[in-house]
Amino acid sequence: MEGAVEAVCYHCGDPVGPTGVHADGKAFCCNGCKVVYEVLQKNDLCTYYTLDSTPGHAPIIHASGQYAFLDDETVARPLLTFRSGDRAGVTLSIPGMHCASCVWLLEQLYTLDPGIIESRVDLLKKQVAVQFDTTRTTLRAVVELFASLGYEPEINLGSLEQKAESLATRALVAKVGVAGFCFGNIMMLSFPEYFATSDIDEGMRRVFDWVMLGLSLPVFFYSASEYFTSAWGGLRRGIINIDVPLALGIFILFTRSVVDVTIIGRAGYFDSLAGLVFFLLIGKVFQSKTYDRLNFDRQYTSYFPLAVTLRKRGEERSVPVTTLSVGDKILIRHNEIIPCDAIVMNGTAHVDYSFVTGESTPVTMAPGSFVYAGGRQTGGVVELEVTKEVSQSHLTQLWNRHDAEHDEKSRLLTLSNQVGKWFTAGVLVVAGAAAAYWLLGQAPLVALDAVTGILIVACPCAFALAAPFTYGAVQRLFGRHRFYLKNATVVEAMSRTMTVVFDKTGTLTHGRARLVQFLGEPMTQSHRSLVATLARASTHPLSRAIERSLAGAASGSLADLDEIPGSGIRGTVDGVEVRLGSRAFAGPGHEAPVEEATDAARVHVAIAGLPIGLFVVRQQYRDGLRDVIGSIGARHRVALLSGDHQGERAKLEAMFPAGTEMRFDQSPFDKRDVIEQIQSGGQAVVMVGDGLNDAGALRRANVGIAVTDDVNAFSPACDAILEGDSLRYLPAFLRLSRRSVQIILFSFFVSFMYNVAALSIAVQGTLSPVLAAILMPVSSVTVVSLSIGLVRLAARREGLV
């Protein structure tokens, strides 16, 4: 007997053969099956094998060379979303992915191919983003691995130029068409049964019954197939998903109708079956379309207030990235994000791809090198030529990636998932209790009606949809007012805010200065060129102001750039060291008149180690700032952390509530420590800074909001980007975040009451399956519409609509 057991694969049941492998006392037909078993065992998921003796599917073997075309670099390159050195990324569309089990397996691919670094699944879009090591595997090998597991990617090279309707969408429409055709014909054949009289030929009635049975087969085996597949996929791994009660209800209805026709000799409920599946699929299509319209995972350019410096006919100007086209020349400064795929034309790029790959070591790119969107320039100014229009989908993935140090799950999103899971289990218990009650009462047909109605009408979809749709609607409203969130959980984190901490320069003040004055000996043209070239490489508001005051002077070649947050920037311009920054960083320079300018920032200048003077930059506070801070201070604790001197303390104290904590001359580390101290007291903190010297504080805060005016100067550590002119809406943003949580809880209550009412009718066996099939999607759409409507109402009250 032991030999017989060893003859078949423990995982998939195929013959082991002479090339089989053994592990843990079990036999496997191939190394793939063995690795899958080891992954399951490692994660304590071997109950997978208790549900079936051989639950694994054998790998699908494709014709040799089917994906050989991916070995051609000219073909493979357009498919890649990213490539740098020995690391590359690709996003594959997987129509066959349908449930949580698929997600789990596809995110474990690194155990099957050591060359795969990570794989991230987007179940709603049926996409998998894969990063792999090009020295250990290839794009072809990655695609073949997907296909061998039964998840054949949808690769359509033509879709790179024009997005085509996905196979999954077409399949859903086809299933709706089949169900609708069969439903209509079954209804027509049912008329004799509905209006039966004694003079109708019994033989003809029986013929109609058998024809309806035949028409129900494609409905049951084709149109309803994905409900069975999804339910079975969850059960195999011990998961009760939302399709389990639906699949069970469809199966009971079909089985009962077949028994009625073939054994009892009477008409079944094939009209109800076809109508049920048809309305379920219609509801699914409608929900999908609704989600698409309200989807908060929008294109990259729909969210970022991203501008880039365009060089055209000798002039430089900031333009939105949406206006870029192939062949445009753009300038990327130190610390700026590269917005699109491009070729280095002038200068040497030192690209930090940590936002993409997590690797912080910059990659040096000489002229002629290809650079990908999402990298950050860490050297001087470089000129790039755009080779693709803005890579929206790729950068959206980068923006939506959770930072490893700052990834907190939404409690309400988690709660909705848990509610949905327990609700499904409760529905099954209610259905079982109803069946037992009616069976004991000698009413088996009523029991079938009750169970079928319960399993169809009660669905946890509404619970699962309430939170994401509410947060999605809030995100879209925020985006219209140029406040762009990294993900939906930021809304909930903002709702728990207790303390709001502000930076000063570039946050409370405009990014563009009113006046820039140089104090010291008049600068020579050579000095002006040196200073302008260095200032041009920085994205700091003061550097940009200085560069504008020296318009047209930048002409030198910059090397060895180094920007020290809280201190200044230094670099070698045409072989001469230049420094801009604090007095301690650059040197004292000309001091006397500056003491009178208490409303000014001071930037000292040193050339070749000698201080030559300083720039006095007078800045203007944003309009309506007093009202903004007063409104926030009425409900939250506020504080100010500034890296500047305290010359403007009196002016700031007049704007902030009495007793506001204000700290000046704060280094980036000081700001981060203050945030930690506030959090240690149990308070959730929102940090509002300019994304430069505040990077550590933005990362440490519960919500980090980077304020920007002109260019893409944000830090990946932030959770949101706020355009400077929209700072006046910040109190409304905070209030709407709090109300969104209340809306979600109210939606939970409405969904619960709806299901209680529907179940109270269904348990009596008086709710027809067709009516239940109509009510099920209606409940989900109702909750979604209610959530969206209440969000818009709340936003209108806040003046955001």
Side-chain angles (χ1 to χ4, degrees):
M1 291 297 295
E2 183 176 353
V5 174
E6 297 260 333
V8 295
C9 178
Y10 181 77
H11 178 72
C12 71
D14 283 353
V16 172
T19 60
V21 293
H22 296 77
D24 199 23
K26 299 173 177 61
F28 303 91
C29 64
C30 64
N31 190 62
C33 287
K34 179 179 76 71
V35 173
V36 172
Y37 164 77
E38 291 174 343
V39 170
L40 292 171
Q41 184 186 52
K42 179 180 179 180
N43 290 275
D44 196 27
L45 294 174
C46 280
T47 52
Y48 175 77
Y49 295 100
T50 65
L51 300 174
D52 196 318
S53 58
T54 55
H57 292 290
I60 299 175
I61 306 301
H62 295 269
S64 177
Q66 178 179 351
Y67 297 105
F69 66 93
L70 294 176
D71 289 333
D72 187 340
E73 180 67 19
T74 60
V75 174
R77 181 171 177 175
L79 291 172
L80 297 177
T81 56
F82 169 79
R83 185 169 187 173
S84 175
D86 57 4
R87 185 180 289 229
V90 63
T91 299
L92 299 174
S93 177
I94 311 295
M97 177 171 55
H98 64 276
C99 67
S101 304
C102 302
V103 173
W104 180 85
L105 181 60
L106 293 177
E107 289 192 338
Q108 308 294 323
L109 293 180
Y110 64 89
T111 63
L112 303 179
D113 185 345
I116 294 178
I117 299 171
E118 68 172 358
S119 53
R120 293 175 177 266
V121 174
D122 186 332
L123 181 59
L124 291 172
K125 292 184 177 179
K126 295 185 180 294
Q127 291 180 343
V128 182
V130 182
Q131 286 195 28
F132 59 95
D133 186 342
T134 56
T135 64
R136 306 182 70 183
T137 191
T138 64
L139 176 60
R140 175 183 175 181
V142 171
V143 171
E144 288 179 339
L145 174 60
F146 275 89
S148 69
L149 294 173
Y151 297 97
E152 186 170 5
E154 180 183 4
I155 299 179
N156 181 355
L157 296 180
S159 65
L160 295 175
E161 302 297 330
Q162 182 177 5
K163 186 176 181 180
E165 184 181 26
S166 69
L167 291 175
T169 301
R170 292 200 297 269
L172 180 59
V173 172
K175 290 177 180 179
V176 171
V178 170
F181 172 81
C182 295
F183 176 49
N185 282 276
I186 291 174
M187 287 294 294
M188 182 179 64
L189 293 170
S190 298
F191 285 153
E193 186 69 29
Y194 298 152
F195 305 107
T197 61
S198 59
D199 59 347
I200 292 181
D201 183 72
E202 181 65 25
M204 184 60 67
R205 184 185 301 174
R206 294 293 295 154
V207 170
F208 285 172
D209 292 343
W210 282 97
V211 172
M212 287 189 290
L213 172 58
L215 287 171
S216 71
L217 296 179
V219 175
F220 181 77
F221 289 103
Y222 174 66
S223 295
S225 60
E226 62 181 82
Y227 293 103
F228 296 115
T229 302
S230 176
W232 176 241
L235 290 175
R236 286 197 313 171
R237 290 158 179 81
I239 300 172
I240 301 177
N241 59 35
I242 62 177
D243 288 330
V244 170
L246 294 178
L248 187 56
I250 293 171
F251 178 78
I252 291 175
L253 191 56
F254 176 75
T255 303
R256 172 186 174 179
S257 299
V258 171
V259 171
D260 283 344
V261 171
T262 59
I263 298 177
I264 301 177
R266 65 184 182 186
Y269 290 84
F270 295 118
D271 50 352
S272 296
L273 171 66
L276 164 63
V277 176
F278 176 68
F279 286 119
L280 284 175
L281 293 175
I282 287 291
K284 192 168 188 177
V285 171
F286 184 66
Q287 289 175 12
S288 176
K289 295 298 182 182
T290 303
Y291 187 89
D292 289 341
R293 288 195 296 270
L294 301 175
N295 188 7
F296 53 84
D297 187 17
R298 306 293 294 180
Q299 300 279 342
Y300 180 87
T301 52
S302 299
Y303 274 90
F304 284 163
L306 180 66
V308 68
T309 301
L310 175 69
R311 171 177 283 180
K312 194 170 186 177
R313 290 190 287 272
E315 297 182 357
E316 298 176 8
R317 58 191 178 92
S318 291
V319 299
V321 293
T322 52
T323 64
L324 291 179
S325 58
V326 176
D328 282 347
K329 304 295 193 301
I330 59 176
L331 298 180
I332 302 297
R333 297 176 173 83
H334 174 66
N335 223 26
E336 284 187 353
I337 294 288
I338 299 169
C340 52
D341 297 346
I343 293 177
V344 180
M345 301 301 293
N346 292 312
T348 300
H350 300 278
V351 185
D352 176 5
Y353 280 120
S354 59
F355 194 28
V356 182
T357 65
E359 298 293 336
S360 59
T361 304
V363 180
T364 301
M365 302 287 189
S369 301
F370 189 84
V371 293
Y372 281 87
R376 177 186 291 277
Q377 165 67 351
T378 59
V381 180
V382 293
E383 181 178 353
L384 307 178
E385 179 177 323
V386 177
T387 59
K388 284 184 182 180
E389 294 184 359
V390 178
S391 180
Q392 297 175 340
S393 61
H394 177 50
L395 292 184
T396 300
Q397 293 173 15
L398 300 181
W399 177 243
N400 286 326
R401 281 185 66 176
H402 293 247
D403 188 274
E405 296 183 21
H406 196 55
D407 180 19
E408 60 175 72
K409 286 189 176 181
S410 166
R411 293 183 299 180
L412 282 178
L413 288 175
T414 303
L415 175 61
S416 65
N417 292 332
Q418 291 297 324
V419 168
K421 181 186 298 184
W422 285 107
F423 181 81
T424 300
V427 167
L428 296 176
V429 171
V430 171
Y437 174 82
W438 289 111
L439 288 174
L440 292 174
Q442 305 298 314
L445 295 181
V446 177
L448 281 174
D449 286 338
V451 170
T452 305
I454 291 170
L455 295 177
I456 296 169
V457 75
C459 179
C461 296
F463 290 106
L465 293 175
F469 273 91
T470 300
Y471 288 151
V474 172
Q475 279 189 275
R476 292 177 71 240
L477 287 168
F478 285 176
R480 292 176 185 174
H481 291 81
R482 300 181 297 281
F483 182 42
Y484 309 100
L485 307 187
K486 186 174 183 181
N487 50 56
T489 64
V490 179
V491 179
E492 186 178 329
M494 288 178 61
S495 72
R496 300 194 296 270
T497 301
M498 301 174 69
T499 299
V500 180
V501 178
F502 292 95
D503 172 51
K504 182 175 77 69
T505 304
T507 302
L508 302 182
T509 62
H510 284 288
R512 294 182 179 272
R514 286 186 302 170
L515 176 67
V516 178
Q517 179 184 9
F518 180 76
L519 300 180
E521 295 298 325
M523 286 194 294
T524 64
Q525 184 60 35
S526 174
H527 283 177
R528 288 171 58 87
S529 175
L530 294 174
V531 173
T533 300
L534 179 63
R536 182 190 189 192
S538 174
T539 56
H540 194 282
L542 297 180
S543 297
R544 301 305 306 279
I546 292 172
E547 181 202 357
R548 285 192 294 270
S549 72
L550 301 172
S555 61
S557 176
L558 177 64
D560 301 327
L561 180 69
D562 189 15
E563 188 166 8
I564 295 89
S567 297
I569 183 172
R570 65 188 174 197
T572 303
V573 182
D574 294 335
V576 180
E577 184 188 52
V578 183
R579 290 178 175 239
L580 294 173
S582 65
R583 179 179 180 182
F585 180 75
H590 194 287
E591 283 292 331
V594 182
E595 299 304 326
E596 302 173 3
T598 58
D599 62 340
R602 294 168 290 182
V603 180
H604 296 259
V605 184
I607 297 178
L610 298 176
I612 66 167
L614 74 159
F615 288 94
V616 178
V617 184
R618 292 178 174 85
Q619 295 185 314
Q620 180 181 8
Y621 286 95
R622 299 187 187 276
D623 297 335
L625 186 60
R626 186 188 303 271
D627 293 337
V628 170
I629 296 175
S631 179
I632 294 176
R635 188 179 180 91
H636 305 85
R637 172 190 175 191
V638 294
L640 175 72
L641 301 177
S642 175
D644 296 338
H645 61 85
Q646 56 180 338
E648 297 182 57
R649 176 184 285 273
K651 182 180 293 186
L652 290 167
E653 287 178 342
M655 296 181 185
F656 281 79
T660 297
E661 180 181 8
M662 295 184 180
R663 301 193 186 192
F664 299 89
D665 298 310
Q666 297 290 294
S667 70
F669 302 103
D670 294 334
K671 293 181 180 182
R672 184 193 61 193
D673 292 342
V674 172
I675 297 295
E676 290 179 346
Q677 291 173 9
I678 297 174
Q679 290 174 326
S680 65
Q683 297 203 16
V685 179
V686 168
M687 173 68 193
V688 186
D690 64 358
L692 294 168
N693 297 343
D694 307 307
L698 290 170
R699 178 184 293 271
R700 187 65 185 87
N702 299 88
V703 177
I705 301 175
V707 178
T708 183
D709 282 290
D710 299 315
V711 298
N712 180 32
F714 68 93
S715 165
C718 68
D719 300 292
I721 300 173
L722 177 63
E723 189 169 307
D725 291 340
S726 295
L727 184 65
R728 65 183 186 274
Y729 294 117
L730 185 58
F733 295 152
L734 292 171
R735 289 193 295 266
L736 185 57
S737 297
R738 290 196 303 273
R739 290 180 179 174
S740 68
V741 174
Q742 298 170 359
I743 290 171
I744 292 172
L745 295 176
F746 179 71
S747 297
F748 282 175
F749 173 76
V750 171
S751 179
F752 178 77
M753 295 305 296
Y754 167 86
N755 280 283
V756 168
L759 285 173
S760 64
I761 300 174
V763 295
Q764 301 176 41
T766 58
L767 186 64
S768 69
V770 173
L771 181 58
I774 296 173
L775 292 177
M776 191 279 293
V778 166
S779 68
S780 298
V781 173
T782 299
V783 169
V784 169
S785 301
L786 177 65
S787 300
I788 302 304
L790 291 176
V791 167
R792 290 187 62 83
L793 179 62
R796 184 173 290 109
R797 290 178 178 175
E798 296 295 343
L800 297 177
V801 176

